[in-house]
Amino acid sequence: MLNRPRRNRSSAAIRTMVEENRLSVKDLLFPLFVMDGSATKTEIKSMPGIYRYTTDLLLKEIEACLNLGITSYALFPQVAEDRKDSLATESHRKGSLYLEAIHAVTSRFPEISMLTDVAMDPYSSDGHDGIVKNGEILNDETLEVLAKMAVAQAQAGSKLIGPSDMMDGRVGYLRESLDDAGFTSVGIMAYSAKYASAFYGPFRDALESAPKFGDKKTYQMNPANSREALREAELDELEGADFLMVKPALAYLDIISLLRDNTNLPIAAYNVSGEYAMVKAAAANGWIDGEKAMLESLLSMKRAGAQVILTYFAKEFAQLKLS
Ligand code: PBG
């Protein structure tokens, strides 16, 4: 037999030599949750090992993660129910929990990269990513709220914003608003191909942000579509996005790969809350090896073409101290 592929698998050393993709903590971006109060952290039930932190403890957590080599983060706020309204005014109120937390983190750790979230749902009394009128989500009116939010976050110190709402035209609108306000160097990581997915459940528990009626199918994408992902990605690129994101990751590896082949922008994959919860739940039952399943799924995202992986596993991965 001339060709025996097993020769290149015959020892750990040779397997390492021919390994095509290797995960590093530098590939990972760690999403974190902030809440009101002080000196408190609460575990999210459906995401074992993941907590909401008050700002003082958030700073401590970032410091610990930095020491493990994690340099990229995302931050999401849990907003008190009585601060929510139909126009998400809390999202751009000076002195709000989120803006203060952004300020605290970016001034304390200027060396890190932190993606700040631009979307109405954490602050919306309707639990939607856009303004709701007569049961419909208004696109262009929502853009104005998103722009106020993005500029307020840039003023608070954000250098990278993440519009996670899926309104049409928002990347261009935000780019222009940031530029007009003098924030030409603030980047945009666009949630380009964000699907209407069942895998966001635990995240909505974390923020208590589930839609109060209906679903998000008039703005988030249909899981049946891939050509539409190309269209969304192309628009975001034309509108000035600096990164394109695919979300969720595991059930959408083909979309990561498709975008990778069709753009020169860096691709980010969001290994979402439900994907994390599945691994944790099965591992807790002794049904799978959680650590191996984590490594295998993160690797699949990298192999598919993701240059950045947003994952709740970031700290756990970093603690393994694989080189
Ligand atoms: C909404 C938003 C969602 C996530 C991040 N931002 C979910 C949703 O559309 O309700 C999900 C992240 C995760 O599941 O880890 N702006």
Side-chain angles (χ1 to χ4, degrees), residues 68-84:
L68 292 167
I70 304 173
T71 51
S72 297
Y73 300 84
L75 189 63
F76 297 97
Q78 185 203 23
V79 178
E81 205 59 39
D82 61 5
R83 293 218 174 262
K84 298 184 183 182

Side-chain angles (χ1 to χ4, degrees), residues 125-159:
S125 46
D126 298 302
H128 275 286
D129 294 42
I131 299 176
V132 180
K133 199 169 174 193
N134 303 326
E136 301 224 337
I137 311 296
L138 305 181
N139 193 89
D140 299 11
E141 292 79 350
T142 297
L143 298 184
E144 287 175 40
V145 180
L146 299 177
K148 282 188 197 159
M149 211 184 298
V151 170
Q153 291 176 8
Q155 282 164 345
S158 176
K159 292 275 177 282

Side-chain angles (χ1 to χ4, degrees), residues 79-99 119-126 128 130-131 144-146 148-149 152-153:
V79 178
E81 205 59 39
D82 61 5
R83 293 218 174 262
K84 298 184 183 182
D85 60 28
S86 59
L87 294 177
T89 51
E90 179 68 8
S91 67
H92 48 83
R93 181 181 66 82
K94 286 222 165 30
S96 75
L97 161 72
Y98 193 54
L99 295 175
M120 286 178 62
D121 56 315
Y123 318 89
S124 153
S125 46
D126 298 302
H128 275 286
I131 299 176
E144 287 175 40
V145 180
L146 299 177
K148 282 188 197 159
M149 211 184 298
Q153 291 176 8

